[in-house]
Amino acid sequence: MEFLTEKLLYIALFIFVIHSIETLAYAVRLSGARVKMIASALSLFNVMVILSRLANMMQQPFTGSLIDGAPNENALEFVENQFRFLIGASTVGTVFGIILLPTFIAVFSRAIIHLSEERGSIPSLFKRIFSLKYIKRGIKHFNLPKFTYLRSTIMKDIPIKLFFVNMVITAIYTIGVLSALYAALLVPERASTAIMASGLINGIATILLVIFIDPKISVIADDVVNQRGSYQKLKSISLLMVTSRFLGTLLAQLLFIPGAAYIAWLTGFIV
């Protein structure tokens, strides 16, 4: 496979880490509800989200360099194969995050308590959790997902609309940069306009996530802490969210080319 280059593998690893972090972020609210410290949990959640967004911005120039290195002949096919490989890396990263979810619920529970002990100091918390002693303790908490996690899921608590909205938002976020870069190849005369559209697409996806997804889960987490709801319901919905994230990365494979075509068409109205 000629499209598999060393640079592509490094970028794929970067995307793998980004989507693993974003998937594991769902464990933070569960941990916060578990230890009854939801406000501290949200602080840790925000840190994880900011880190994943920063990492996503950092990988954009490297991803763009793949276009510069594409051969003149069959450039579209070559870049498409590379970008589909990167979308696949996001799927694998999401699966990896799902596998580590039970482990990180336990780890984040301890981290939230330590954050309180450090009086809200994130640097002090990072210094503690990345110490050799804490890493060894975290390894002891390693626990693979069990079938009982699914068996205990309460199906009537799962909002189907939320499931599909999160899936679509995840797909848009996954292909935002890639579709914009591919659109630059489709309309080279408007390449700069197409590339700059990636920030707008990811921004819209983030806004939709904040408006439609985060408030719903936060309210359910608050209900658990205030003893108005069950932890089992929150866990069921969190499992729903990570599953829809996984399906969203698969949907991204289908939306990648149509998304690029739409961006290319849209740039005609901007220029």
Side-chain angles (χ1 to χ4, degrees):
M1 292 182 287
E2 297 180 356
F3 68 89
L4 276 177
T5 62
E6 185 177 354
K7 181 187 292 186
L8 178 66
L9 293 176
Y10 282 126
I11 297 172
L13 178 61
F14 211 63
I15 290 176
F16 169 88
V17 173
I18 291 171
H19 281 265
S20 296
I21 292 174
E22 297 221 345
T23 303
L24 289 172
Y26 286 100
V28 178
R29 285 194 183 91
L30 279 167
S31 300
R34 187 180 182 185
V35 297
K36 309 298 183 183
M37 300 174 67
I38 197 65
S40 298
L42 289 178
S43 296
L44 187 58
F45 173 81
N46 289 334
V47 170
M48 293 191 64
V49 170
I50 289 172
L51 288 176
S52 66
R53 296 292 187 271
L54 177 62
N56 189 54
M57 291 175 61
M58 290 172 61
Q59 62 91 13
Q60 290 181 18
F62 298 102
T63 306
S65 68
L66 294 176
I67 293 181
D68 298 331
N72 293 328
E73 296 182 1
N74 299 322
L76 285 174
E77 182 182 354
F78 185 86
V79 172
E80 179 184 347
N81 289 334
Q82 287 190 319
F83 284 4
R84 289 196 182 280
F85 183 81
L86 295 180
I87 297 173
S90 70
T91 302
V92 177
T94 301
V95 172
F96 185 72
I98 293 173
I99 292 172
L100 292 181
L101 202 63
T103 300
F104 272 78
I105 290 174
V107 171
F108 286 148
S109 296
R110 296 296 303 170
I112 291 168
I113 294 172
H114 290 324
L115 181 62
S116 177
E117 294 173 353
E118 298 292 348
R119 308 305 300 170
S121 174
I122 294 295
S124 297
L125 174 65
F126 280 4
K127 182 179 179 181
R128 177 184 287 195
I129 65 177
F130 286 114
S131 65
L132 183 60
K133 179 181 177 182
Y134 196 89
I135 292 174
K136 288 181 178 179
R137 187 182 301 172
I139 293 175
K140 294 180 180 178
H141 287 293
F142 181 76
N143 185 24
L144 291 173
K146 299 177 181 178
F147 181 71
T148 52
Y149 259 70
L150 295 176
R151 190 173 59 188
S152 58
T153 300
I154 305 172
M155 296 304 296
K156 64 183 180 67
D157 288 336
I158 295 180
I160 300 300
K161 184 183 294 186
L162 196 67
F163 180 93
F164 286 107
V165 168
N166 190 57
M167 185 172 69
V168 172
I169 292 174
T170 300
I172 294 172
Y173 179 76
T174 301
I175 63 169
V177 174
L178 302 178
S179 288
L181 290 172
Y182 194 78
L185 288 176
L186 296 177
V187 284
E189 69 279 6
R190 301 192 296 272
S192 297
T193 305
I195 291 172
M196 293 303 293
S198 64
L200 177 62
I201 295 169
N202 281 349
I204 292 174
T206 301
I207 291 171
L208 292 174
L209 190 68
V210 171
I211 292 176
F212 293 106
I213 307 299
D214 286 348
K216 179 71 175 179
I217 302 177
S218 295
V219 168
I220 296 171
D222 282 339
D223 287 343
V224 174
V225 174
N226 295 318
Q227 298 181 343
R228 293 195 300 264
S230 68
Y231 179 80
Q232 184 59 51
K233 179 178 180 179
L234 178 61
K235 189 174 77 170
S236 298
I237 292 181
S238 297
L239 289 174
L240 162 81
M241 291 295 100
V242 296
T243 302
S244 66
R245 265 194 64 84
F246 166 70
L247 295 177
T249 60
L250 296 180
L251 179 62
Q253 294 282 4
L254 297 176
L255 297 182
F256 168 53
I257 296 298
Y262 177 75
I263 294 171
W265 173 78
L266 191 63
T267 57
F269 294 92
I270 298 175
V271 177

